[in-house]
Amino acid sequence: MKTMSLKTLIMILSVTGLVLTSCEKKDPDPDITADNLKGMFVVCEGTFGQANGDITFYDSKEDLSIKKLYYLSNGVEPGDIVQSFAVADTLGFLVVNNSQKVIVVNMKDFTHVKTIYGFSYPRSVVRADENSIYVSNGNGSSDNYIYSIDLLSLEKNDSLAVSAGPENLLVAGTKIYAALSGGWNNDGSSVIEIDPESFTIANTFNVSPVPIDIVNDKNGDIWVYCKGLAEYDANWNVSYSGMGICKINTASKEVSTFNLSVMQSSGINNIDRSPDGNIIYFLNDGLYEMQITSGELPSTALIEQTYYGLSVDPENGNIVCLDDVNSKAIVCNNTGTELYNFETAYFPNSVVFSY
């Protein structure tokens, strides 16, 4: 694997793009995102209080990586705890949790466009529709909102009050779903369905305790990773109860639960799906795969190793396992065989794929 400067990488990618497009008929109305950086954007939280998180960029076609993309593009650190990231056309949005802000970057070279303030505990970001992105915010004790940010003005233009501790957001069909974990209180047990047209809560689903991550399958049903209630002893050793994976049937509105017997996953990005939506992957004391038609959880892990985060490449189905101990992304095929790996910044938690 080759590591090089952002300037050199952009030059190579630009020349490659020029060669490819020079042989083709000119598009009279070119895609405005055509010149965006293409590849994997690994969200790396960094160490709490040290502001050493960033986005690690990896281009698999060129086998090139940049460990700290934002820093190399702007000369400054993005802030304390880079929690999540999303792309909307030519703009990228970095949620920086402990610094209480959202940074907007140009996706062509990752340079700073604007910093949006006015958050207390921002967590997840998704593109909600053509005109807006949503950011979840709230630690469970205060300021529990889903904020809407206008893509033209890059300002917060609306807020939706929610019960407690909104975590990961999911766009599925015409709706947005939010897992309400309870925040610092760890006592949430619901998933809400948001109608983006009216920016109101259309449905509320009761699930197992502390839902933190969500994904949809090919049928449009929602799968929820519920971490369970945490209890600590005098030495701060933690144990969990009530953990499980819940399936929300969006047609019947019924919720079914698959109970987990142990909980060993410390991150919040613990569930994803195969590109065709037939298989659900999840983390615990290993990496597991489950057919969506199965009536029970798998008993044997696909990969017998714990990870901090999980993301599946929607283009080829490769599984990216994020190792926070060694600051590394391990890319495996759908049989669990490692294909390659690359170094990341500290505490990688998820991947955003942009092709």
Side-chain angles (χ1 to χ4, degrees):
M1 183 194 70
K2 296 167 280 187
T3 302
M4 58 178 61
S5 69
L6 176 65
K7 183 177 180 180
T8 304
L9 175 59
I10 291 176
M11 185 180 299
I12 290 174
L13 296 180
S14 299
V15 171
T16 302
L18 181 62
V19 170
L20 292 175
T21 56
S22 63
C23 300
E24 300 172 357
K25 184 179 178 179
K26 295 289 185 181
D27 187 344
D29 187 20
D31 181 359
I32 63 171
T33 65
D35 295 329
N36 281 3
L37 290 169
K38 303 292 195 298
M40 299 184 199
F41 296 83
V42 184
V43 180
C44 302
E45 296 175 4
T47 307
F48 183 81
Q50 296 187 25
N52 56 6
D54 210 310
I55 299 293
T56 293
F57 175 74
Y58 182 74
D59 175 20
S60 58
K61 293 183 175 62
E62 299 291 335
D63 189 26
L64 298 173
S65 72
I66 295 178
K67 189 180 292 188
K68 303 188 76 172
L69 180 59
Y70 185 86
Y71 178 79
L72 289 176
S73 300
N74 298 281
V76 295
E77 305 282 1
D80 192 13
I81 306 298
V82 180
Q83 191 71 53
S84 55
F85 178 64
V87 178
D89 297 329
T90 57
L91 297 175
F93 296 83
L94 287 78
V95 172
V96 191
N97 174 240
N98 201 40
S99 294
Q100 303 174 325
K101 63 186 180 181
V102 173
I103 298 174
V104 187
V105 295
N106 186 327
M107 285 303 295
K108 298 181 188 301
D109 56 11
F110 227 70
T111 53
H112 178 270
V113 173
K114 183 176 182 177
T115 299
I116 307 170
Y117 295 100
F119 303 93
S120 62
Y121 195 71
R123 302 295 286 168
S124 177
V125 56
V126 296
R127 183 173 190 172
D129 54 35
E130 184 178 351
N131 302 312
S132 60
I133 65 166
Y134 288 175
V135 176
S136 60
N137 183 91
N139 60 23
S141 298
S142 61
D143 297 329
N144 297 291
Y145 295 102
I146 307 295
Y147 288 113
S148 175
I149 296 175
D150 181 78
L151 284 172
L152 291 178
S153 67
L154 298 179
E155 299 281 351
K156 290 193 297 184
N157 62 1
D158 209 346
S159 62
L160 176 64
V162 298
S163 61
E167 278 289 352
N168 279 335
L169 301 171
L170 169 72
V171 179
T174 61
K175 306 297 183 184
I176 316 296
Y177 295 85
L180 305 184
S181 71
W184 295 346
N185 298 321
N186 285 318
D187 58 359
S189 58
S190 63
V191 170
I192 57 172
E193 178 188 278
I194 303 169
D195 180 356
E197 288 193 9
S198 60
F199 200 41
T200 58
I201 298 174
N203 285 291
T204 299
F205 304 95
N206 294 319
V207 296
S208 295
V210 194
I212 56 171
D213 200 8
I214 45 180
V215 70
N216 61 313
D217 66 22
K218 72 170 187 178
N219 299 321
D221 295 331
I222 308 300
W223 295 73
V224 189
Y225 192 101
C226 301
K227 203 159 189 176
L229 297 170
E231 296 184 4
Y232 297 87
D233 63 19
N235 296 315
W236 291 101
N237 296 311
V238 63
S239 61
Y240 296 90
S241 62
M243 54 279 190
I245 294 176
C246 294
K247 176 184 176 182
I248 300 171
N249 186 311
T250 54
S252 67
K253 311 302 181 186
E254 295 179 349
V255 178
S256 53
T257 300
F258 301 88
N259 296 317
L260 291 167
S261 58
V262 297
M263 176 51 59
Q264 295 186 22
S265 186
S266 59
I268 62 168
N269 296 284
N270 294 332
I271 194 167
D272 210 338
R273 51 167 273 182
S274 61
D276 62 9
N278 283 311
I279 298 173
I280 299 298
Y281 297 98
F282 65 91
L283 295 175
N284 196 352
D285 55 343
L287 169 67
Y288 292 83
E289 64 171 348
M290 177 181 180
Q291 295 287 336
I292 63 172
T293 55
S294 177
E296 59 183 9
L297 294 177
S299 57
T300 304
L302 182 67
I303 301 175
E304 294 184 352
Q305 184 172 336
T306 57
Y307 294 104
Y308 191 62
L310 159 73
S311 294
V312 177
D313 192 324
E315 188 174 76
N316 53 35
N318 288 340
I319 308 163
V320 186
C321 301
L322 288 315
D323 179 354
D324 62 315
V325 175
N326 299 297
S327 300
K328 186 179 294 186
I330 299 98
V331 181
C332 304
N333 62 20
N334 60 11
T335 67
T337 301
E338 181 175 334
L339 302 176
Y340 59 93
N341 65 74
F342 57 93
E343 293 182 359
T344 69
Y346 295 117
F347 287 92
N349 73 18
S350 60
V351 183
V352 172
F353 303 90
S354 184
Y355 295 120

